[in-house]
Amino acid sequence: QKMLVGGISGVIGLSTVFPIDLIKTRLQISNVGLSSVCHDVFAKHGMFGFYRGLGTTAVMVFPEKAIKLGVNDYFRDVFCNYDRNNETIP
């Protein structure tokens, strides 16, 4: 369950910053301004153009974040002697 939640949260985080990262990458490889890059992507592919490649990237990010956050949670419990069975919600 911890690993599943970690993977899902990684994909959600990726999907929120993906359009910004796409624009950043396009700006780095071109000699035009921000508005030109945004207009070009929107004109060629529409709104979904800002999310092109998200699926492939999400397939790579999901297992990485699942393992990273799951292992982090496990070792925090082990090294801090934390017992999740005694958790209470205030």
Side-chain angles (χ1 to χ4, degrees), residues 45-77:
H45 307 289
M47 193 64 183
F48 292 111
F50 293 101
Y51 291 95
R52 286 189 65 181
L54 177 64
T56 305
T57 309
V59 168
M60 295 185 299
V61 166
F62 185 89
E64 185 263 333
K65 292 298 181 186
I67 292 168
K68 184 177 182 179
L69 295 173
V71 169
N72 181 32
D73 203 30
Y74 171 76
F75 280 118
R76 184 183 62 231
D77 293 349

Side-chain angles (χ1 to χ4, degrees), residues 34-52:
L34 176 65
S35 62
S36 296
V37 169
C38 293
H39 183 268
D40 185 48
V41 172
F42 189 76
K44 288 183 180 177
H45 307 289
M47 193 64 183
F48 292 111
F50 293 101
Y51 291 95
R52 286 189 65 181

